[in-house]
Amino acid sequence: MRPANGNDSVLDRGEELALLEAVEQRVLWLSTAIIDHANRVRPNPSGLKVGGHQASSASMTSIMTALWFHALTAQDRVSVKPHASPVLHAINYLLGELDASYLTTLRAFRGLQSYPSRSKDPDPVDYSTGSVGIGATAPVWGALARRYVEGHFGGVGTGRQYSLLGDAELDEGAIWEAIQDPMVPGLGEVVWVVDLNRQSLDRVVPGIAADRLQGMFAAAGWQVITLKYGHLLQELFTRPGGQALRARIDAMGNPEYQRLLRCSADELRERLPGTGSTAGPIAALIEPLDDASLLSALRNLGGHDIGALMDAFDGVDDTRPTVIFAYTVKGYGLPTEGHPQNHSSLLTADQMRTLADRLGTDLDRPWEVFADGSPEAAVCAAAATRLHRPEHVWQQPPAVPTDLARPAPTGTGNTQQALGRVLLDLTRRAPEAAGRIVTVSPDVSSSTNLGGWLNKVGVWSPTERTDWFADDAETILHWREQPTGQHVELGIAETNLVSLLGELGATWSRWGQPLLPIGVVYDPFVNRALEPWSFGIYAGGQSILVGTPSGVTLAPEGGAHQSITTPSLGIEQPGCVTYEPAFAIDTEWCLLAALGNLGRPDGNSAYLRLSTRPVDQSAAAVPSDPAARERRRRHVTAGAYRLRQHEKPVVTLAAMGALVPEALAAADRLAALGHAADVVSVTSPDLLFRALQARRGLSEDPTWILDQVFPADRATPLVTVLDGHPHTLAFLGTIQNTPTTTLGVTRFGQSGSIEDVYRYHGIDTDSIVAAALDLVD
């Protein structure tokens, strides 16, 4: 529990309550008018539905008014449910954080976004939302990221992390994956407020099972606060017949309650008492109430009672996460309130004018603020002052070397091993940059070659914990948990991992403190993690996702652990560069390049697809001459390099990642048959595709790599091959418009040896040779 924000030092409780209720009415009007203008007033030549959610916004106005104008501090952060974005913009407008010119631009090009966006909205937005369940959980990982930065670098302070979510979002698995992660129970700054309006898009939900949901949060160690009834109903419950009324409302199903909201006062007097022995006492209780009082009392749920909300926010236990279940009415205060199909319904012009008259506003001048000198204007000004955040100065990340200057690896190794080795090398050769690295994994640290890194930097924990196996001579992985650790180990849910990755990758823009976050996950499960990771990138989070081991090369594991579609994901993902290196030295250069692009305004994320396949590292043929080595490095990090080059090639083999050895073997076989073959090692199909688009005038990316690796004077028929879907490299044939055959994986995998599995998918050496012969004969 923390002290109230200070309003009560100026106003007594009654005065503050009355003023906040007046502010609430103006927020309701503005949020409704923002949507109305976008749909009914703004010209729409195409006739395409604009949309917006007046009812969903109305159910949140009380909650958000109490939060912003009473409870929030400058250090707090809030994730707002997607459909309540107009309420956020209305509040920011009253606080002076949004120019009036934007109020007419909801869902317009470069205007107010459909859902809150950190990167695209013109006013302050703490968390991007819109992907159901992902935005709701973001403050959990934002809290952990803040603690990490504060513990390692300081200067970011404390503050609560609020999440305002609709009750339907509790259907999302991401919610429950987050609350039960072992890291979460200690995050006392996390506060969720559930808008319990008991409606979904299509209907009134018949059994929302609030008690069961509350029990699930409590079992996870959360403080549970329930706001079901407001002060009007609470007072009625104390009168004769009041307990009967409470029992009647508690027992009725959601659809019946919602139907009562649609009744006139006369209909309500007939329906509300129900039947049975309690009907008489209830009828007697409500008989003396005037119509307005009766209608108001029925709607007086806890989520619309400003005083109850203020008490709830003031009573949060900051030693553990808190969830507030706030019962609300969807469409509260609007003509559509309680209607089962009000989700996307819009008020008519007549309804808007009637609403304006009732709320003391003017439909013809919808953007009026409170008059200067009025108590309401003073409340808004005081809140704006209290919530003003000092601007954090962005610290440029430490320089990441482009080459660690190690001799080119020899012997046999794989790209996954190179990941762990590069991280350890950085601690010695670039300690400042290494100090900004934070790794995250879902219980796969040892199996993805992070063991040496963990032993070096330790595991992050808010408090130091005893390592009971520190004196066990047979323990290889030392699990030292301490606030200075640089690895965060979550449970096995990939959604949690990449959600945290997004928040760790956003610290540069939140507090000016850049981190270099790397998340490691088995590549077959990247698809499961893709949505929250993509949403984190959309919100400004810059990170590196490592998928390893990858592809059908993980042959004995079978189809369930073999990835097929992941090679093209990085091409398709905005804000991300994808790499799939074949050799350890390539991995080093690609990883260093990716790290150098993190934590900066012009930065971007990266996806590295790595393998456990043992490969002869001498086949990389890294030049020993320093200038030639640097040229190779530049090619590797730009997308491709010529690994083998003949004077007069008749075919080119372009291979990626684990399939490069097969391409080299195929080139040897073809040479023996009298067909000289060039071999190109593709390290980033993404960067090659961007270069091709730029050559066509569709982007501003550099194009030089195409001239270096696929020059016109060496254009030959092309065979592409990779450990994934063949369409990933299919575009390479269009660089010089050459005949092309694409080999890859298009079926679910099988268990077996590499040779058996490669043959099954037609990506073995024989298949490459046959494809090349078909093109040149």
Side-chain angles (χ1 to χ4, degrees):
M1 184 182 298
R2 63 181 178 182
N5 61 46
N7 284 346
D8 55 355
S9 64
V10 178
L11 304 169
D12 64 33
R13 176 66 171 219
E15 291 174 323
E16 181 182 9
L17 186 58
L19 288 173
L20 292 194
E21 287 174 345
V23 171
E24 175 196 15
Q25 296 298 293
R26 188 57 56 90
V27 171
L28 174 63
W29 167 254
L30 287 170
S31 60
T32 306
I34 287 171
I35 301 169
D36 176 68
H37 189 281
N39 287 273
R40 193 181 57 80
V41 181
R42 191 171 68 216
N44 183 7
S46 72
L48 185 69
K49 173 187 173 183
V50 176
H53 301 84
Q54 290 175 329
S56 294
S57 293
S59 69
M60 288 294 297
T61 54
S62 310
I63 294 169
M64 294 177 68
T65 299
L67 182 57
W68 259 264
F69 294 91
H70 172 78
L72 276 187
T73 71
Q75 291 186 314
D76 298 338
R77 299 292 186 270
V78 187
S79 170
V80 176
K81 81 170 189 177
H83 292 162
S85 63
V87 183
L88 176 61
H89 299 311
I91 288 174
N92 281 335
Y93 175 60
L94 291 176
L95 295 176
E97 296 282 1
L98 181 66
D99 189 81
S101 62
Y102 281 104
L103 299 179
T104 61
T105 68
L106 179 69
R107 301 190 172 202
F109 185 66
R110 292 186 174 169
L112 299 176
Q113 298 299 295
S114 302
Y115 310 120
S117 171
R118 286 191 73 227
S119 57
K120 295 184 177 181
D121 273 317
D123 53 334
V125 174
D126 294 331
Y127 289 99
S128 296
T129 59
S131 186
V132 177
I134 303 303
T137 59
V140 171
W141 313 117
L144 200 155
R146 185 206 60 77
R147 288 196 182 199
Y148 185 95
V149 173
E150 177 65 22
H152 283 76
F153 308 107
V156 302
T158 56
R160 287 180 183 167
Q161 299 279 339
Y162 289 92
S163 181
L164 311 180
L165 62 155
D167 50 15
E169 285 195 82
L170 297 180
D171 291 343
E172 285 290 338
I175 299 291
W176 305 106
E177 289 180 356
I179 72 165
Q180 66 183 358
D181 191 274
M183 279 286 185
V184 174
L187 300 176
E189 62 267 50
V190 172
V191 181
W192 286 10
V193 184
V194 178
D195 172 16
L196 201 67
N197 60 47
R198 294 164 287 178
Q199 283 187 237
S200 62
L201 188 151
D202 292 327
R203 60 173 182 158
V204 178
V205 180
I208 200 68
D211 291 344
R212 177 175 58 84
L213 295 171
Q214 293 159 8
M216 293 168 71
F217 276 95
W222 288 49
Q223 177 191 21
V224 178
I225 299 174
T226 301
L227 301 178
K228 188 168 186 178
Y229 299 118
H231 71 283
L232 295 178
L233 277 174
Q234 294 279 15
E235 195 279 327
L236 275 180
F237 294 157
T238 65
R239 301 183 188 181
Q243 288 307 303
L245 175 61
R246 180 167 194 156
R248 163 84 169 114
I249 297 177
D250 282 343
M252 73 172 57
N254 296 331
E256 182 183 4
Y257 175 78
Q258 300 284 102
R259 181 63 186 89
L260 292 179
L261 295 173
R262 309 291 299 167
C263 291
S264 66
D266 288 341
E267 291 174 315
L268 191 57
R269 294 182 193 279
E270 179 181 346
R271 289 185 179 220
L272 182 57
T275 60
S277 61
T278 59
I282 295 174
L285 171 66
I286 64 176
E287 192 276 330
L289 299 178
D290 61 62
D291 289 350
S293 297
L294 177 59
L295 294 172
S296 295
L298 183 68
R299 290 156 172 75
N300 184 225
L301 299 180
H304 297 301
D305 191 297
I306 297 291
L309 289 162
M310 291 162 61
D311 290 339
F313 290 133
D314 292 345
V316 167
D317 176 4
D318 287 315
T319 65
R320 54 180 174 150
T322 295
V323 59
I324 300 173
F325 284 91
Y327 281 73
T328 61
V329 174
K330 194 165 185 174
Y332 180 74
L334 303 181
T336 58
E337 65 180 0
H339 193 281
Q341 280 83 52
N342 67 5
H343 183 80
S344 298
S345 64
L346 300 169
L347 272 59
T348 66
D350 289 342
Q351 288 174 325
M352 285 295 298
R353 195 165 298 280
T354 300
L355 181 67
D357 292 342
R358 180 168 67 81
L359 298 179
T361 57
D362 187 341
L363 182 60
D364 298 321
R365 294 184 298 169
W367 317 126
E368 293 290 314
V369 295
F370 293 112
D372 289 343
S374 67
E376 294 85 356
V379 166
C380 293
T385 299
R386 170 169 45 84
L387 298 177
H388 177 72
R389 295 172 182 168
E391 184 175 349
H392 291 283
V393 179
W394 172 65
Q395 297 187 29
Q396 186 166 337
V400 177
T402 58
D403 190 341
L404 296 177
R406 289 172 51 116
T410 58
T412 300
N414 61 59
T415 55
Q416 179 178 289
Q417 291 170 341
L419 167 68
R421 191 186 68 237
V422 171
L423 294 179
L424 281 175
D425 283 351
L426 280 170
T427 63
R428 295 185 288 267
R429 304 191 181 209
E432 288 190 8
R436 294 278 172 169
I437 293 175
V438 52
T439 56
V440 187
S441 72
D443 196 34
V444 294
S445 301
S446 56
S447 59
T448 54
N449 288 88
L450 289 181
W453 164 258
L454 262 67
N455 289 341
K456 176 74 174 178
V457 303
V459 178
W460 181 82
S461 174
T463 58
E464 188 162 356
R465 297 175 180 173
T466 301
D467 179 5
W468 295 103
F469 289 87
D471 59 349
D472 187 335
E474 297 182 9
T475 299
I476 299 175
L477 185 64
H478 300 292
W479 207 258
R480 294 178 292 108
E481 297 181 86
Q482 53 200 8
T484 57
Q486 290 180 242
H487 174 78
V488 181
E489 185 90 355
L490 298 179
I492 205 165
E494 287 82 7
T495 296
N496 290 345
L497 175 138
V498 294
S499 296
L500 173 58
L501 206 59
E503 292 306 319
L504 292 168
T507 60
W508 69 272
S509 59
R510 290 196 191 281
W511 301 292
Q513 287 285 1
L515 295 176
L516 310 179
I518 302 173
V520 182
V521 63
Y522 287 167
D523 196 67
F525 308 131
V526 164
N527 278 300
R528 183 187 301 173
L530 185 60
E531 183 199 354
W533 190 54
S534 174
F535 208 75
I537 295 174
Y538 172 78
Q542 298 171 9
S543 61
I544 298 172
L545 182 62
V546 177
T548 184
S550 63
V552 299
T553 299
L554 195 63
E557 291 283 349
H561 278 67
Q562 295 172 357
S563 50
I564 297 172
T565 62
T566 51
S568 66
L569 294 180
I571 302 178
E572 298 153 8
Q573 175 60 53
C576 166
V577 175
T578 184
Y579 296 102
E580 186 167 345
F583 300 102
I585 190 65
D586 298 350
T587 305
E588 173 187 313
W589 289 335
C590 292
L591 181 60
L592 294 175
L595 286 168
N597 280 326
L598 297 180
R600 51 197 322 118
D602 59 345
N604 56 257
S605 295
Y607 164 49
L608 271 70
R609 191 172 187 256
L610 305 183
S611 173
T612 53
R613 183 185 184 180
V615 172
D616 178 8
Q617 297 300 307
S618 66
V622 179
S624 57
D625 179 81
R629 176 185 171 112
E630 172 59 14
R631 181 176 185 271
R632 167 69 69 85
R633 185 201 66 79
R634 291 181 63 244
H635 284 196
V636 166
T637 57
Y641 61 96
R642 304 188 74 82
L643 183 56
R644 185 171 295 181
Q645 183 167 303
H646 285 270
E647 183 178 352
K648 294 183 178 180
V650 296
V651 67
T652 299
L653 310 179
M656 188 165 73
L659 269 295
V660 167
E662 272 62 38
L664 291 171
D668 291 338
R669 295 253 304 270
L670 289 167
L673 295 172
H675 302 292
D678 281 356
V679 178
V680 172
S681 177
V682 175
T683 53
S684 176
D686 182 16
L687 293 177
L688 295 181
F689 183 75
R690 295 186 196 191
L692 185 59
Q693 293 289 86
R695 176 182 281 181
R696 293 167 176 162
L698 301 176
S699 75
E700 297 181 358
D701 292 282
T703 64
W704 63 266
I705 189 63
L706 301 181
D707 298 323
Q708 293 283 314
V709 181
F710 297 98
D713 61 356
R714 297 187 66 84
T716 65
L718 178 68
V719 177
T720 67
V721 61
L722 73 155
D723 189 359
H725 199 283
H727 80 86
T728 306
L729 299 180
F731 70 91
L732 294 181
T734 68
I735 295 175
Q736 298 296 346
N737 294 318
T738 54
T740 302
T741 296
T742 58
L743 304 179
V745 182
T746 58
R747 294 177 287 177
F748 287 116
Q750 297 282 343
S751 295
S753 66
I754 286 181
E755 294 78 13
D756 289 338
V757 172
Y758 280 8
R759 190 178 305 111
Y760 171 76
H761 289 288
I763 55 175
D764 59 321
T765 301
D766 285 351
S767 298
I768 299 172
V769 170
L773 292 175
D774 286 342
L775 288 171
V776 300
D777 283 348

